[in-house]
Amino acid sequence: MMERRMEAALLALIVGHLVTALEVPLDLPQPPTITHQSPKDYIVDPRENIIIHCEAKGKPHPSFSWTRNGIHFDIDSYPNVVMRPHSGTLVVDISREKADHYEGEYQCTARNKHGTAISHNIVVRQSRSPLWSKEKIKPIIVQEGVSLVLPCRPPAGLPPPIIFWMDNNFQRLPQSSRVSQSLNGDLYFSNVLQEDSRNDYICYARFPHTQTIQQKQPITVRVLNQDPVDERKPTFLIPSGPSSSKMVLRGQVLEMECIAEGLPTPELSWTKVSGDLPAKRTSFLHYQKWLRIVNVSESDAGDYRCTARNRHGTVHHTIHVTVKAAPYWISGAPRNLVLAPGENGVLTCRASGTPKPLVMWAMNGIPIENSPKDVSRKVEDDTIIFTDVQTGSSAVYQCNVSNEYGYLLANAFVNVLSEPARVLTPANKVYQFIRNSRALIDCASFGSPIPKITWFKDSRSSTLDGEPYIFHDNGTLEIPIVQARNGGKYTCVARNTLGIYENHVYLEVKEPTRIVKQPEYKMVQRGRSVVFQCKVKHDPSLILNTMWLKDDEELPDDDRFIVGYDSLTITDVTESDAGMYTCITNTSLDHDSASAELTVVEKPDPPTDLELTDKKKKSVQLTWIPGDEHNSPIQKFLIQYEDSLHHRGHWHNLTEVPGTTTTTYLKLSPYVHYTFRVLAYNDVGFSRPSAPSRMYKTEPAAPDENPAGVKGFGTEHDNLVISWKPLTSLQSNGPGLQYRVMWRQKAVENQWTKVTVANTTKFVVSGTPTFVPYELKVQAVNDHGDGPEPAIAHGFSGEDLPAAAPENVQAVVLNSTLAEVHWDPVSHRLIRGHLKGYKVYYWRERSLHKHNPHHMEKLILTFSGNRSHGLLPGLHSFSLYSFNVRVYNGKGEGPPSPTQQFETPEGVPGIPTSLVVTNSNSDSLTLEWSPPHDRNGHITGYTLKYQPVNSSNELGPVEELALLANETSVTLPNLKYSTRYKFYLNAKTVRGAGPAISQEASTIMDKAVASRQVDIATQGWFIGLMCAIALLILILLIICFIQRNKGGKYPVKEKEDAHTDPEFQPMKEDDCTFGEYSDNEDHKPLKGSRTPSNGTVKRDDSDDSLVDYGEGGDGQFNEDGSFIGQYSGKSSSRDNAEGHESSEAPSPINAMNSLNSFV
């Protein structure tokens, strides 16, 4: 609604730019113009002063006078009447005189020296709301089924009253297709019912002008039911006869009615005989009895037919409608003319009507034929033509167009002026429009002669012409679809023969306001919160205002409604919050809106008014009334029952029915005390249970079903256990429930053995043969009889261990690791139970190779079902296996078959146990190995492959050597010195070669090269230097030893990590000389090499330190740089840092031995 209002205002603004009549600036001479006047038919409230409006403008300002009923109205003669200053409006004070004294037809005249303007005739009448005449209304007594009309006949008021019927409690009387009100206010009954009897049928008349209500005396209606009236076809109560006619004026509302009586009540419908009903202007009211067409036009004339029908017949009535028309303007009222001396002009008074109206002209209020002659003026019917007008010819002309249904009166002046052009639009005005909208830039001007308008943009290099511009006669510049590039400075120039005037305005193009994230439909449960989003994009230079509406009205004044920057949050939602929420966002130029609906849902209310009807032995009808579904349709009803006889306080589900059902038949069981309740279910969940129904007790009866799940089995080899699922208390149908158990051996016995038991679910039959089939029956019985004949179930007596072993057991070897065992199945009779399958027990006796030990671990493979063979996978090659086969049933295994044996053939051998390098020389290596642990046959030889490996771990060419089976070592000559080799060794049998073991080793450096590297050690100066250093270290160690034996602890600096000393260098293990620190891979052990015999492993990277060469003692330096430490035994100080110092003092002899290792 808000959006429609804003669009209408915008349209009116645009149209106003284009059709505004010529306005003469008030600083220039001009004849009078009526600007405001009271309506032609002016009904006044007798309780308020009478104000008759008449406002006009002109230069000089006009004076005013009035006529009443065609005679001059002398205001000075009426002390209660005053005229407002500078106005022609009359104010009548009715405090001392009645308003009806001033009723009449008034006309206002406004004049100055340039002309006279007159208002239309204003008929002033006082509103009236007369009382109903006193009358005594007798009660109306009618027979049920007949038609009835209750007359209203309200008093004539001004304006006519609005009629409605109510009772003594001021409640409107209900109306329907059977009872309805007519246009004249009477109340019509198509047929009466006994329920229509009442004594307060009251007709009310509301007079809208005075807001008073008058009431008629109450009417009493009594409906008798003594002599029933027959059903009948419809007849019309109003209008009467087969046809009627109606006249309506163009632009008014056409209302027609047809009210029919009949039994049963007739249905009404409408058609237009000569065409279709205008869908957008047509509505049907009062249950199709009224037809209303608004804004009538000549096309609505014709015949309309109303039809009433019931099952006994149909009746028609035709209404002939004629459309007349009071005068109306065809192209608008005449417009003012401003002419310069010597110019020509035309006044046009073009109107239409039915019948055709008469046009009369007047000048300054005097009929034109009685006015002074003017050679420049020529009257031709509805047009006055002015030619070569001169100064002094200014006047106001009146055009009066009338027919029998009304008149039109219009004033239009002719103002003869000589005035240079001027622009009335304010200078430097800024126009703002939204991109892609229609832009209208004003250049309101005045001048006589009428100025010509030209437009320029930015610079005045050329006039604007053609697309995208449209130029209107009133000077307005239009851009149909304005873009950002159209913004800037615009200049309009007004020019006539007397002068030129220019004006500058500015156009700014703004971005549109758009809701980019609209609110969406929400369905939320009562008590929760909901958020509507409304994110807006707009021009940042415009101020944005956002508001929210609920159902086109302001939001409730409630703290639960929280309006955020771009959202609306509603907390603790209630059902009253449901509705349509609209986000309206606007700037000073445009707006956008979006709506979304909120539906508040909740679990349904519990059903009510449970009622039990149609009660039978095993069924009953349950009826209920659904509770409020709270905007979420009920999908189903759950019916529960309580058995207060057997399970008091426990509710059980009985059945479900669709949500559209409110009654259902329930199947019941005998001997139950039923109480029912109903729960409703929708998308939110189940309602609370309804209040319980009344208790319904069913009578006891014999059981109508027997136990289910009857089974027969044995727990011993000579018994039969019969079990079943017991009946529930609901299934028992009566007191004294027992079970009649029956059995017989299948195909052997004809008679059933029977026993009756209670309060149990099984019965044990003893002394039965082993594993024989039985037929079983279990029947329910109670104090009121036996259940139906039970169905026969089948079972077996108890099993025993199988009595025989499989025969003809043999094995077929498929390959060195797979064999297949075959046997003859055991006879079913000897299995003595349900066959479960066969088990093969097998074990490896020994390897067929003399060096391998015996293996006796037994393995079992199970083959389910009635099998006669099976595969034994995963066997060892070249081995002797033993096996036997046993059958098993539900009781256990039978005896084994005689043990059989089979041998597996040779296979490929396993990996050799070891491969080591025992002797390294500069050009040869000796390899030793051990045979595979799993020989899997007779070893026929070995294959040795080897290849060199360079420093980049790239492999060289492969050499291959075949070795005999009895060889366990080999020496490889002619190898390169100081070269790393990789070796691969595998064993072979007649079945092929097995997997290989690999090893790496290196030849040692050539002696000549080594001697060149240590020649420095043979130099005398080097030997002397080493001796001096050794002597100095010896002296220092002795001094340390003496100091410690004196009882004091030698102060030591904090331990320093040997790795951080840049002068410390590791020793080479081979020759006990100091070498350069290196991280080269050549110092790492070869893959697969053995560890030293003492179990220690040499460090293979740059972490080597002096500490690693001891038995775990920590190497430390003294404050003077000397080295101290223990070199014999493992030090416990590493594990016991402070509390357990070694009790052994450092030995100088040990120190010397350590020193000798350095030199």
Side-chain angles (χ1 to χ4, degrees):
M1 183 180 296
M2 176 72 70
E3 186 177 0
R4 290 196 298 269
R5 288 198 295 264
M6 298 182 77
E7 289 176 352
L10 185 60
L11 178 62
L13 178 62
I14 293 172
V15 173
H17 275 284
L18 304 181
V19 302
T20 301
L22 180 63
E23 290 290 334
V24 180
L26 283 176
D27 62 337
L28 297 178
Q30 58 183 291
T33 301
I34 301 289
T35 58
H36 178 55
Q37 55 187 325
S38 293
K40 293 178 181 178
D41 192 6
Y42 186 25
I43 300 175
V44 298
D45 190 333
R47 298 165 298 183
E48 299 177 356
N49 289 342
I50 302 173
I51 301 176
I52 309 175
H53 292 280
C54 181
E55 305 289 341
K57 66 176 182 177
K59 183 69 172 181
H61 189 72
S63 60
F64 297 90
S65 62
W66 286 86
T67 62
R68 179 186 177 192
N69 298 327
I71 302 172
H72 174 68
F73 183 63
D74 187 2
I75 297 173
D76 296 335
S77 302
Y78 294 87
N80 297 327
V81 179
V82 295
M83 183 184 295
R84 290 178 177 172
H86 311 292
S87 167
T89 299
L90 298 180
V91 178
V92 182
D93 183 1
I94 62 168
S95 61
R96 292 171 291 182
E97 198 167 5
K98 290 184 179 182
D100 57 3
H101 291 171
Y102 295 93
E103 290 183 333
E105 185 178 80
Y106 292 80
Q107 189 171 39
C108 172
T109 299
R111 60 170 55 87
N112 65 13
K113 65 180 181 180
H114 302 294
T116 301
I118 60 175
S119 71
H120 52 227
N121 293 328
I122 303 171
V123 179
V124 177
R125 293 184 294 171
Q126 173 189 322
S127 65
R128 290 176 173 81
S129 51
L131 298 176
W132 241 292
S133 59
K134 295 293 184 180
E135 59 178 332
K136 185 176 183 181
I137 302 176
K138 296 181 179 180
I140 300 174
I141 301 174
V142 293
Q143 184 65 37
E144 185 177 20
V146 303
S147 62
L148 176 65
V149 180
L150 299 183
C152 180
R153 300 192 189 97
L158 186 66
I162 298 171
I163 306 300
F164 51 92
W165 289 79
M166 296 172 57
D167 59 16
N168 277 330
N169 296 320
F170 297 100
Q171 299 297 316
R172 285 186 177 269
L173 294 176
Q175 297 191 23
S176 63
S177 59
R178 185 179 63 87
V179 182
S180 61
Q181 179 181 314
S182 68
L183 288 171
N184 67 1
D186 294 347
L187 191 62
Y188 283 78
F189 295 77
S190 295
N191 51 76
V192 294
L193 304 176
Q194 279 194 307
E195 63 191 47
D196 296 326
S197 296
R198 61 191 306 154
N199 58 4
D200 58 350
Y201 285 95
I202 306 174
C203 181
Y204 287 84
R206 180 168 66 86
F207 297 90
H209 213 82
T210 58
Q211 295 298 315
T212 57
I213 297 177
Q214 305 289 350
Q215 80 171 60
K216 185 184 177 76
Q217 290 295 319
I219 301 175
T220 299
V221 175
R222 296 177 188 168
V223 181
L224 305 179
N225 190 19
Q226 297 173 349
D227 186 13
V229 176
D230 295 335
E231 293 188 355
R232 60 193 180 278
K233 66 178 292 186
T235 58
F236 283 110
L237 297 174
I238 184 173
S240 59
S243 63
S244 59
S245 61
K246 190 174 185 67
M247 190 274 291
V248 64
L249 291 180
R250 178 183 183 276
Q252 293 186 350
V253 177
L254 170 62
E255 287 184 325
M256 296 177 284
E257 66 177 345
C258 281
I259 300 177
E261 65 91 19
L263 191 65
T265 302
E267 295 180 357
L268 272 294
S269 62
W270 291 85
T271 58
K272 185 178 181 183
V273 177
S274 54
D276 296 329
L277 293 171
K280 294 183 178 180
R281 297 184 288 116
T282 301
S283 58
F284 301 96
L285 307 174
H286 291 270
Y287 305 92
Q288 300 275 28
K289 297 178 183 179
W290 290 14
L291 171 64
R292 174 180 291 172
I293 301 177
V294 299
N295 193 21
V296 170
S297 67
E298 286 82 354
S299 62
D300 295 323
D303 291 335
Y304 293 80
R305 177 177 295 166
C306 64
T307 302
R309 60 169 56 87
N310 64 13
R311 60 173 171 258
H312 296 289
T314 302
V315 63
H316 305 282
H317 183 91
T318 302
I319 304 175
H320 181 72
V321 174
T322 57
V323 178
K324 302 293 184 179
Y328 59 91
W329 300 116
I330 296 177
S331 55
R335 300 184 182 180
N336 296 331
L337 280 180
V338 177
L339 301 175
E343 285 190 325
N344 305 327
V346 175
L347 281 181
T348 302
C349 180
R350 193 149 296 158
S352 183
T354 305
K356 183 179 180 181
L358 175 65
V359 178
M360 293 186 297
W361 288 95
M363 186 185 78
N364 295 330
I366 301 172
I368 198 151
E369 57 271 14
N370 298 332
S371 301
K373 299 297 181 183
D374 189 343
V375 295
S376 65
R377 180 182 67 225
K378 182 179 181 182
V379 179
E380 293 185 356
D381 194 17
D382 59 1
T383 303
I384 301 179
I385 302 172
F386 297 93
T387 306
D388 191 22
V389 296
Q390 299 301 318
T391 304
S393 298
S394 298
V396 180
Y397 290 85
Q398 287 80 36
C399 169
N400 188 309
V401 185
S402 62
N403 66 11
E404 58 186 289
Y405 300 109
Y407 73 96
L408 295 173
L409 177 66
N411 291 276
F413 65 66
V414 175
N415 196 9
V416 180
L417 288 175
S418 293
E419 187 68 25
R422 68 165 80 174
V423 176
L424 305 180
T425 300
N428 299 316
K429 183 176 180 179
V430 177
Y431 289 88
Q432 294 179 333
F433 290 96
I434 297 297
R435 179 171 55 83
N436 292 328
S437 68
R438 183 187 187 192
L440 296 168
I441 309 175
D442 290 333
C443 184
S445 62
F446 184 81
S448 187
I450 296 176
K452 179 182 178 182
I453 305 297
T454 53
W455 281 94
F456 301 88
K457 183 176 186 297
D458 297 331
S459 67
R460 296 188 56 177
S461 58
S462 62
T463 60
L464 298 181
D465 189 18
E467 292 185 356
Y469 303 105
I470 298 175
F471 303 93
H472 293 278
D473 292 340
N474 64 353
T476 297
L477 174 65
E478 176 183 350
I479 306 175
I481 303 176
V482 68
Q483 301 295 328
R485 63 178 178 271
N486 300 131
K489 176 182 177 182
Y490 286 79
T491 302
C492 81
V493 177
R495 178 185 292 106
N496 67 6
T497 56
L498 301 179
I500 299 176
Y501 194 102
E502 69 176 37
N503 190 46
H504 305 293
V505 294
Y506 297 88
L507 173 62
E508 294 178 356
V509 181
K510 306 294 184 179
E511 288 299 309
T513 302
R514 292 292 178 263
I515 297 176
V516 295
K517 184 173 180 56
Q518 300 184 353
E520 298 177 347
Y521 171 78
K522 300 286 185 179
M523 178 182 290
V524 66
Q525 189 175 352
R526 185 175 59 194
R528 298 189 178 179
S529 297
V530 65
V531 178
F532 287 109
Q533 297 286 339
C534 184
K535 294 187 177 180
V536 183
K537 182 179 180 181
H538 71 102
D539 193 292
S541 66
L542 299 177
I543 298 176
L544 181 71
N545 293 309
T546 301
M547 64 180 298
W548 288 86
L549 302 179
K550 177 181 181 291
D551 296 330
D552 290 334
E553 296 182 359
E554 292 184 2
L555 292 178
D557 186 11
D558 193 328
D559 293 340
R560 297 182 301 107
F561 290 79
I562 304 170
V563 178
Y565 174 73
D566 56 4
S567 64
L568 168 64
T569 302
I570 309 173
T571 61
D572 191 19
V573 170
T574 65
E575 289 188 358
S576 63
D577 297 332
M580 187 67 68
Y581 287 83
T582 303
C583 169
I584 299 178
T585 177
N586 60 70
T587 64
S588 57
L589 299 181
D590 69 338
H591 73 284
D592 196 10
S593 66
S595 299
E597 185 178 3
L598 172 62
T599 300
V600 181
V601 297
E602 184 53 276
K603 298 176 182 177
D605 288 343
T608 59
D609 296 341
L610 271 63
E611 185 178 358
L612 298 176
T613 57
D614 197 12
K615 300 176 182 178
K616 298 179 180 178
K617 288 185 177 181
K618 292 188 178 182
S619 68
V620 69
Q621 184 180 22
L622 176 64
T623 305
W624 63 91
I625 297 176
D628 191 341
E629 61 186 18
H630 296 296
N631 296 322
S632 180
I634 296 174
Q635 298 178 3
K636 64 182 179 180
F637 291 99
L638 172 63
I639 301 170
Q640 297 180 329
Y641 73 92
E642 178 195 25
D643 180 5
S644 57
L645 179 62
H646 302 101
H647 296 94
R648 180 181 294 275
H650 295 275
W651 289 91
H652 309 276
N653 294 344
L654 180 59
T655 187
E656 292 181 353
V657 297
T660 56
T661 302
T662 58
T663 182
T664 186
Y665 279 91
L666 303 177
K667 183 179 179 181
L668 307 180
S669 297
Y671 195 52
V672 178
H673 294 180
Y674 284 101
T675 303
F676 302 99
R677 69 182 186 185
V678 183
L679 293 84
Y681 177 83
N682 64 9
D683 282 337
V684 184
F686 277 104
S687 69
R688 291 178 288 104
S690 67
S693 69
R694 292 185 178 182
M695 183 180 294
Y696 181 55
K697 300 178 181 180
T698 55
E699 298 296 328
D704 51 17
E705 57 183 310
N706 290 309
V710 177
K711 298 178 181 178
F713 57 92
T715 57
E716 300 293 339
H717 67 88
D718 60 351
N719 75 0
L720 171 66
V721 178
I722 305 172
S723 68
W724 60 89
K725 183 179 179 181
L727 298 181
T728 65
S729 57
L730 188 66
Q731 296 169 318
S732 66
N733 287 4
L737 176 65
Q738 293 180 308
Y739 301 101
R740 182 175 296 141
V741 184
M742 296 168 276
W743 70 92
R744 68 183 178 189
Q745 192 173 338
K746 187 176 182 181
V748 175
E749 300 174 348
N750 291 327
Q751 299 297 321
W752 293 90
T753 303
K754 303 178 182 180
V755 65
T756 302
V757 297
N759 301 321
T760 185
T761 60
K762 66 180 180 179
F763 179 76
V764 180
V765 181
S766 302
T768 63
T770 300
F771 197 67
V772 295
Y774 276 87
E775 293 180 333
L776 316 169
K777 293 194 296 185
V778 179
Q779 185 179 30
V781 297
N782 64 17
D783 294 347
H784 291 268
D786 300 346
E789 179 65 23
I792 296 177
H794 298 85
F796 283 84
S797 58
E799 299 178 87
D800 204 349
L801 294 176
E807 297 179 348
N808 294 328
V809 177
Q810 55 185 321
V812 177
V813 178
L814 301 179
N815 57 44
S816 62
T817 60
L818 179 66
E820 186 173 36
V821 178
H822 293 262
W823 62 88
D824 290 343
V826 177
S827 168
H828 180 72
R829 177 180 59 82
L830 297 176
I831 294 175
R832 301 198 294 182
H834 295 287
L835 173 64
K836 298 296 184 181
Y838 292 86
K839 294 184 180 180
V840 177
Y841 286 74
Y842 65 103
W843 59 96
R844 185 186 183 195
E845 293 281 2
R846 61 180 173 82
S847 170
L848 296 179
H849 196 277
K850 61 183 179 180
H851 298 290
N852 286 56
H854 286 217
H855 301 271
M856 294 298 293
E857 180 184 1
K858 287 191 176 182
L859 301 173
I860 303 174
L861 276 179
T862 300
F863 302 94
S864 300
N866 190 15
R867 300 283 295 275
S868 61
H869 63 277
L871 294 174
L872 304 182
L875 303 177
H876 290 273
S877 304
F878 204 53
S879 299
L880 175 66
Y881 278 89
S882 297
F883 72 96
N884 59 54
V885 183
R886 311 177 190 189
V887 67
Y888 71 101
N889 61 17
K891 189 72 172 180
E893 299 177 3
S897 68
T899 300
Q900 306 285 337
Q901 290 186 329
F902 63 88
E903 294 181 355
T904 55
E906 293 188 45
V908 297
I911 189 171
T913 305
S914 65
L915 175 63
V916 295
V917 179
T918 58
N919 191 15
S920 299
N921 292 306
S922 61
D923 60 352
S924 66
L925 290 171
T926 299
L927 303 176
E928 293 184 2
W929 63 88
S930 300
H933 180 271
D934 295 323
R935 302 193 180 195
N936 295 337
H938 297 289
I939 301 297
T940 60
Y942 295 92
T943 300
L944 176 65
K945 297 179 181 179
Y946 60 95
Q947 58 190 138
V949 183
N950 64 16
S951 59
S952 301
N953 289 326
E954 296 176 345
L955 298 175
V958 178
E959 301 287 340
E960 184 174 332
L961 183 64
L963 304 171
L964 298 177
N966 58 358
E967 290 188 84
T968 58
S969 66
V970 67
T971 298
L972 302 176
N974 301 322
L975 302 178
K976 296 179 181 179
Y977 72 89
S978 189
T979 302
R980 184 158 52 110
Y981 284 87
K982 189 163 188 177
F983 303 94
Y984 310 91
L985 179 71
N986 55 7
K988 297 184 292 183
T989 65
V990 294
R991 297 299 299 272
I997 185 173
S998 65
Q999 185 60 277
E1000 293 184 7
S1002 300
T1003 56
I1004 64 175
M1005 185 177 293
D1006 186 88
K1007 293 182 178 180
V1009 177
S1011 65
R1012 288 196 298 271
Q1013 292 181 352
V1014 297
D1015 279 347
I1016 190 172
T1018 63
Q1019 303 297 315
W1021 65 269
F1022 181 75
I1023 295 173
L1025 177 62
M1026 291 296 101
C1027 290
I1029 293 173
L1031 181 61
L1032 178 61
I1033 294 175
L1034 177 61
I1035 294 171
L1036 291 174
L1037 289 174
I1038 293 172
I1039 293 172
C1040 292
F1041 175 73
I1042 295 172
Q1043 287 294 105
R1044 289 180 66 88
N1045 282 346
K1046 288 181 179 181
K1049 293 185 178 179
Y1050 187 78
V1052 183
K1053 286 174 59 181
E1054 273 188 320
K1055 184 192 297 183
E1056 297 179 357
D1057 190 352
H1059 294 275
T1060 62
D1061 192 339
E1063 296 182 359
F1064 175 73
Q1065 296 177 333
M1067 286 192 311
K1068 290 189 177 179
E1069 194 175 83
D1070 331 28
D1071 52 9
C1072 297
T1073 62
F1074 286 98
E1076 293 182 358
Y1077 182 83
S1078 173
D1079 195 21
N1080 196 295
E1081 281 190 353
D1082 293 341
H1083 297 292
K1084 298 180 181 178
L1086 296 171
K1087 294 181 180 177
S1089 63
R1090 293 180 297 174
T1091 60
S1093 60
N1094 62 359
T1096 64
V1097 179
K1098 173 186 171 185
R1099 283 186 178 267
D1100 56 8
D1101 55 21
S1102 60
D1103 291 344
D1104 291 348
S1105 69
L1106 289 177
V1107 179
D1108 294 324
Y1109 291 91
E1111 293 294 327
D1114 294 334
Q1116 297 177 340
F1117 286 98
N1118 214 340
E1119 289 181 349
D1120 57 3
S1122 61
F1123 180 81
I1124 63 173
Q1126 294 178 324
Y1127 289 88
S1128 61
K1130 292 185 177 180
S1131 173
S1132 62
S1133 63
R1134 184 173 298 174
D1135 298 329
N1136 304 279
E1138 296 179 358
H1140 304 284
E1141 294 187 6
S1142 175
S1143 60
E1144 182 182 355
S1147 170
I1149 297 174
N1150 290 340
M1152 285 300 297
N1153 291 336
S1154 300
L1155 182 61
N1156 288 336
S1157 68
F1158 284 87
V1159 298

